[in-house]
Amino acid sequence: PEFGADLGTVLFEGITETTSDLIKDLINTNVEIFVPEIQITDIIVNLGTEYSNQNSVSVTINYKLKISQNADQVTVQFQ
């Protein structure tokens, strides 16, 4: 299994806005390669704040199936 989007290379290495952009790029690239049946419509990366866990990242991926156009979303929390 090669899918994983290489997120391990960027998570917890100091979470910044640059990290957020890199996470989006890695997800987009890997989904195009490994899951060509879906089209990502939006990726939202929420970085931890001073009031929550600063070492957490929440990633929400909004997508639709290319064949049926059915839309859905998935959220993953990394801590």
Side-chain angles (χ1 to χ4, degrees):
E2 295 181 28
F3 185 75
D6 290 327
L7 293 178
T9 62
V10 295
L11 289 173
F12 315 115
E13 293 294 327
I15 300 169
T16 65
E17 288 299 321
T18 301
T19 307
S20 174
D21 292 339
L22 185 54
I23 289 169
K24 290 178 184 180
D25 289 343
L26 286 170
I27 292 171
N28 271 315
T29 299
N30 281 273
V31 166
E32 287 176 5
I33 293 168
F34 292 105
V35 196
E37 299 84 8
I38 70 170
Q39 177 183 359
I40 293 178
T41 56
D42 195 18
I43 298 176
I44 302 162
V45 177
N46 291 309
L47 307 176
T49 66
E50 62 184 88
Y51 301 108
S52 67
N53 185 349
Q54 292 184 22
N55 294 322
S56 69
V57 177
S58 171
V59 179
T60 300
I61 303 170
N62 295 299
Y63 65 93
K64 63 182 176 181
L65 299 174
K66 289 182 178 178
I67 196 164
S68 67
Q69 298 298 307
N70 289 339
D72 202 355
Q73 74 176 23
V74 62
T75 300
V76 179
Q77 180 79 30
F78 300 95
Q79 294 183 335

